[in-house]
Structures are given as C-alpha cells and as structure tokens.
Amino acid sequence: MRDAVGRGLKRWRAAALPIVHCALSAGLAWVVATLVIGHQHPFFAPIAAVVCLGVSLGQRLRRVGELVVGVSVGVGVGDALISWIGSGPWQIALVVALAMSAAVLLDGGSVIALQAGSSAVLVATLLPPSAGGGFDRMIDALTGGLVGLAVAALLPANPMTVAQRQAKALTGTLSSALRNIAEAITGQDAVKAAGVLAELRTSQTAIDDYKAALQTGSEIAKIAPIRWRSKDELRRYHTAAGPVDYAIRNTRVLARRTMAALKAEEQIPDGVAQVLMAYADAVDCLRAELEKGQTAQRTREAVRDAARQLTARRLGGDGFSSKVVLAQIRSIAVDLLQATGLNRSEAVEALPPLSPPAGSADPAAASEPARGREDRPGRTQRP
C-alpha cells in the first residue's frame, strides 16, 4: 500500500503544473467569456481550455486550432441537421457520424474528430439550434483555447528540466547496456547478454518519452517569453536525439550478436569489453555536458580514444557473429560522435581506420582516416 501511494504521489507531482494550468484556465475562460464577451452560458470556453492544455505539455498550439475547427464542424452539422430532422436516437447517431466524418476529411487530428462528435451531441440533445448559437460557441472555443495558451505562457514549466529528466533516463539505458554487454563478454556469459537484449527491446518507451519531452520543451520555449533563453540549450538535446536513438538500436544488434557469439563459443577479439566500457563512460560524459550546456568536446575525445584502443588490436574474429559485433561497435562510435554535434561525414573522418590501407606496410598509416563499408553514408545499422 505504501508503494502504491508513493507511486501515485510521484505521478501527481509530475502532473501538478499541468493540473494547475487546466484549473486556472477553466476558471479564467469562463470569466472572460461571461464578463468580457457577454455570453450567458459559455460552457465551451472552459471545456476548450482544459482540452487544449490537457494533463500533458505539448502540441498546445495545434490543439487550439483543432478545437476551434472541431467545434465549428460539430455545431455546424448539428445545427443544420437537427433543425431539419429533429432530435432522437437515430438522429443523434447520424449527426455524430456525419460531424466526425467531416472532421476526419478536413484533418487527421484526433482532437478535431472527438470535439466535432461531442459538439454535435450537445447540439442534438441539450442545446437545440438557435440564432447565432453556432457562432457564439465557436467564439467560446477560441476564447478557451487562447486563455489556456496565455496561462501556459505566463506560468510555464522549465523546458530544460523536462528534457534533462528524459535524457538522463535514455542515456542511462544506453550506458548501462554497454557496460552489461562488456561484462557479458568478459565473463563469457550468454545469459547476461540475453538479459541486455531483453531490456533494450523495451527501450522504445524511453526514446519516445525523450522526443516528446523535446517537443514539449520547444513549445514552452516558443510561447513563454521567460523561457526564450532555453532555445539554444534545447538545440543541443535535439542534436543528440536521433544519434542516441540510433546508438541504442545498434547496441540492441550488438547485444543480439554478442549473445550468439558467446553461445557459439566464438572468440571475440581482446579489447572489445574495454572499448564498450569506454563508450559507456563517454555516454555518461555526454549527459553531463548536455546538462551543463557545454559543447560535447570531452565526449568526442573519449569516443575517439576508445576507437583507437580497438583498432590497435586484432580485429578479425573467428565467426560471423563476432565480426558483426565489431561492425556494430564501429557504428555506435559514429552515432555517438554525431550526438556531440558532428555530421555523419565528420564523425566517420574522426575515426581511425580498422586496418592499414591495402598494400601499405607502414603501421603509421593506421592513424589516417579511412572508410569501411559500415561507415559509408546510409550504411549504419538501423535495426
């Protein structure tokens, strides 16, 4: 019971600010619609404010437009049909079907369709058509949406807090997976590698939450004047989002092939575990530099150093899975370098070659950049 209450309080704390936004917006929307605009029963105003804001931050600008269009379609279809066919069970069903169909044809947004259907129901049951009623309801919906946006702009959440919380969870998943794979290789433990794979297969939620947090943070920074300074810091998180996603996907393939190699008793080259540990440290460094608003220079150097450790050793491997493991390690390095702000070409050029160029007997040639098959544009593994 204590754990359940604790989880509930944690969820409430996370949603406390959106709840306050909704409550204030509903009350203020009613006040504005009644005292300023002069509507006697502006029920669409508080409804629109609550639906616009919801209990989650994000896509609010789009919701305002969807609300106004949805109410307009629902009220318009309801007013047109109910005055002609009357009110009853089949009339309600017909009005809702037509209103929602019209909304879907206009736009694929779920808010539009639901608002059109609910508005049509209200017109068909509680609010019979009246002169000017449809236009007044549209004004109420717009008023509620705008009041909701104003409250969100004046009392905004900190977009960096939202982004950092989700980035910490995502990078923690990646660094933990890399360390556990390294431990599985060191201990020749295929079961541990299988456990890492199972955990990574559930990582999509963390990826989606991170991208949603960035969208939310960007919207807050756009509509809230006191958060405009956060735009530059958020840009770094946006830059890292795609590459970190790809790094997790590549790590998933790495875990699968590591498990297969260990089960087949293939010889994974020496040094792979140490490189993976170094990658995990680089991911932790990336998170720290993002939180401090710094250019990820130390992360860049850490990834390069780790790649040099690996290419200084024998990289052949004695089986298919071990060779794929090596290719994935290379791909993860490219992803991590891109997360620091490099483009793909710069990331590839920053890595040393896997082996000296063909026909070269000079060991020093290994320090010059070269491109392997896995480094060509578009060839990074995307499981």
Side-chain angles (χ1 to χ4, degrees):
M1 179 65 71
R2 187 182 300 110
D3 291 341
V5 172
R7 288 192 297 270
L9 289 175
K10 184 177 180 180
R11 290 193 300 270
W12 179 82
R13 284 194 296 269
L17 185 58
I19 290 172
V20 170
H21 284 170
C22 290
L24 286 176
S25 298
L28 289 174
W30 179 272
V31 170
V32 171
T34 53
L35 299 183
V36 178
I37 301 178
H39 292 174
Q40 292 185 349
H41 302 289
F43 57 89
F44 269 116
I47 290 175
V50 172
V51 175
C52 168
L53 297 177
V55 293
S56 62
L57 304 167
Q59 295 187 339
R60 289 174 171 175
L61 293 173
R62 178 179 175 85
R63 286 185 189 181
V64 172
E66 289 182 342
L67 277 170
V68 175
V69 174
V71 169
S72 302
V73 171
V75 171
V77 172
D79 279 347
L81 290 181
I82 295 302
S83 60
W84 180 45
I85 63 177
S87 182
W90 70 268
Q91 290 95 332
I92 294 173
L94 178 62
V95 167
V96 170
L98 291 177
M100 295 187 73
S101 297
V104 169
L105 290 173
L106 286 173
D107 189 281
S110 59
V111 174
I112 288 183
L114 293 176
Q115 196 62 42
S118 60
S119 300
V121 169
L122 288 172
V123 171
T125 56
L126 301 177
L127 302 167
S130 60
F135 182 74
D136 288 347
R137 293 160 191 163
M138 291 165 53
I139 294 298
D140 289 340
L142 180 60
T143 300
L146 294 178
V147 168
L149 284 179
V151 170
L154 296 175
L155 299 173
N158 187 342
M160 297 309 304
T161 300
V162 179
Q164 289 172 359
R165 181 172 61 245
Q166 297 303 331
K168 183 177 181 179
L170 187 60
T171 55
T173 297
L174 177 56
S175 63
S176 176
L178 291 169
R179 287 193 175 89
N180 287 332
I181 294 173
E183 292 173 2
I185 293 173
T186 301
Q188 296 292 299
D189 191 345
V191 174
K192 188 176 184 67
V196 178
L197 177 59
E199 182 178 353
L200 287 174
R201 283 173 172 164
T202 65
S203 63
Q204 189 59 46
T205 299
I207 294 171
D208 294 341
D209 289 345
Y210 178 47
K211 292 180 178 179
L214 291 180
Q215 182 182 20
T216 296
S218 296
E219 184 173 283
I220 293 173
K222 184 185 299 182
I223 67 175
I226 65 173
R227 300 299 185 189
W228 286 346
R229 293 178 298 176
S230 301
K231 292 180 181 179
D232 290 338
E233 294 183 62
L234 282 172
R235 193 174 295 116
R236 294 189 178 92
Y237 282 91
H238 277 286
T239 299
V244 170
D245 181 5
Y246 290 146
I248 288 179
R249 294 169 187 263
N250 276 321
T251 303
R252 190 183 309 157
V253 177
L254 173 65
R256 184 184 303 118
R257 299 323 307 179
T258 299
M259 178 185 67
L262 293 174
K263 285 184 176 179
E265 298 183 352
E266 295 180 10
Q267 182 61 42
I268 298 177
D270 295 337
V272 168
Q274 291 88 332
V275 171
L276 293 178
M277 286 292 190
Y279 281 1
D281 292 339
V283 173
D284 292 338
C285 182
L286 175 64
R287 178 175 64 244
E289 289 182 310
L290 286 174
E291 289 178 353
K292 294 176 182 177
Q294 300 173 342
T295 301
Q297 186 62 41
R298 290 192 297 118
T299 303
R300 218 172 278 169
E301 294 172 357
V303 175
R304 288 170 179 165
D305 291 343
R308 290 191 187 99
Q309 291 179 37
L310 186 60
T311 54
R313 300 173 183 269
R314 184 176 66 85
L315 299 179
D318 66 352
F320 172 77
S321 292
S322 60
K323 291 178 180 178
V324 175
V325 166
L326 295 169
Q328 289 305 120
I329 290 175
R330 182 78 167 185
S331 295
I332 292 170
V334 174
D335 293 332
L336 293 179
L337 287 173
Q338 288 182 271
T340 67
L342 299 181
N343 60 39
R344 180 172 175 79
S345 297
E346 292 170 337
V348 171
E349 295 294 341
L351 294 176
L354 294 175
S355 59
S360 173
D362 184 5
S367 63
E368 294 299 324
R371 294 188 180 184
R373 288 185 59 197
E374 74 278 7
D375 290 333
R376 293 175 190 167
R379 293 305 296 261
T380 299
Q381 297 282 347
R382 300 289 187 255

